[in-house]
Amino acid sequence: MTESRPTLDSLLGKSLATFQARPLRDRRSVWRWCAAATIILGLVYLVTPSGYRSGSLLVTAIGGLWALAIYLHGQHAGDARLVKELLTEFNDRYDKLGTDLQFAVSTRGDFEKETELKFVRYFNLCAEEWLFWRAGYIYDPVWKAWENGMKQYGRDRRVVDLWKNEEKTDSYYGFQFPCEM
C-alpha cells in the first residue's frame, strides 16, 4: 500500500503518527476479555485469605468491568454507524465525479477548467478517505480498492501534473496521490 507519513511538525501529523487504532477490529473481543477478567477476579477472590475478602469490592469490580464492556460495545456500534456513513458519503461523492473523470482521462488534449476542478474535488475526496483510513475507520481492503482506483487516474500525465501543482498547496493532510508515471 502506498502510504505517506505526515510531517511530524504539524499537530495533525503528530496525532496520526501515534494514533493507529483499528476501533472496529479491536473492540470485537471486548466480551471475551470481560468474561476472562471476571473469571480472574473470581479466582483472585477465592485465593485471597478470608480476612481480606470483600464481597462488595468484588461485586463493584465485576460490575465496573461489565459497565466498561457495555460502554465499549456502544462505542463499537457508534463506530460501525460512522463507517457506514463514511462509506456511503465517499461512494456517493465519487459517483458524482466518476463518470466525468473517466471520460476526461479517455480523451486527448488539455483538461478544461471545469474538469480540473472536478479532479481537485477528487483529490480532496481521496485525502479525506486516506485520513479516515489512517485513523482506523476504513478497513484496509476498502482502502486498497480505493487506492487502486486512484492509480488508474495516476497513470494519466495530465492528472499527475495537476496533482503536482495541487500538492504544492499542502492542503491534503499529508496525503500523496498514487502516481504511476
Side-chain angles (χ1 to χ4, degrees):
M1 260 180 260
T2 302
E3 177 185 343
S4 62
R5 297 281 178 199
T7 59
L8 293 180
D9 52 343
S10 71
L11 178 61
L12 180 63
K14 289 176 184 172
S15 64
L16 287 179
T18 58
F19 179 63
Q20 289 292 314
R22 298 285 185 216
L24 295 178
R25 243 180 262 152
D26 293 346
R27 293 188 185 147
R28 283 191 293 206
S29 61
V30 69
W31 299 112
R32 284 180 282 199
W33 283 106
C34 188
T38 300
I39 291 169
I40 291 169
L41 282 174
L43 292 173
V44 168
Y45 179 80
L46 290 175
V47 298
T48 302
S50 61
Y52 295 101
R53 287 186 195 170
S54 171
S56 62
L57 181 61
L58 177 65
V59 169
T60 301
I62 291 174
L65 267 173
W66 285 95
L68 178 63
I70 291 168
Y71 168 78
L72 290 175
H73 178 74
Q75 287 295 110
H76 173 76
D79 287 345
R81 279 189 295 279
L82 174 63
V83 167
K84 182 184 183 302
E85 290 170 16
L86 287 172
L87 293 175
T88 300
E89 179 193 339
F90 290 149
N91 286 325
D92 286 348
R93 286 170 58 194
Y94 178 75
D95 287 345
K96 290 177 183 170
L97 294 170
T99 303
D100 292 337
L101 298 179
Q102 291 172 7
F103 178 75
V105 296
S106 70
T107 60
R108 297 190 189 272
D110 293 338
F111 289 148
E112 296 177 9
K113 197 65 174 166
E114 183 180 326
T115 302
E116 286 183 1
L117 291 174
K118 287 181 181 180
F119 271 104
V120 168
R121 284 198 298 273
Y122 178 63
F123 296 149
N124 282 316
L125 172 64
C126 295
E128 290 171 31
E129 292 170 344
W130 174 81
L131 189 66
F132 280 99
W133 169 70
R134 287 281 308 210
Y137 289 99
I138 302 296
Y139 286 113
D140 291 344
V142 173
W143 170 251
K144 185 67 177 161
W146 287 346
E147 187 179 44
N148 288 337
M150 292 172 209
K151 287 177 183 177
Q152 80 177 357
Y153 298 115
R155 289 190 280 270
D156 188 290
R157 170 55 54 199
R158 297 165 298 175
V159 176
V160 171
D161 291 343
L162 183 59
W163 168 253
K164 291 195 182 299
N165 194 36
E166 280 296 305
E167 186 178 30
K168 293 174 189 172
T169 67
D170 197 26
S171 301
Y172 295 93
Y173 319 111
F175 168 71
Q176 292 296 310
F177 191 76
C179 302
E180 293 195 354
M181 297 209 79

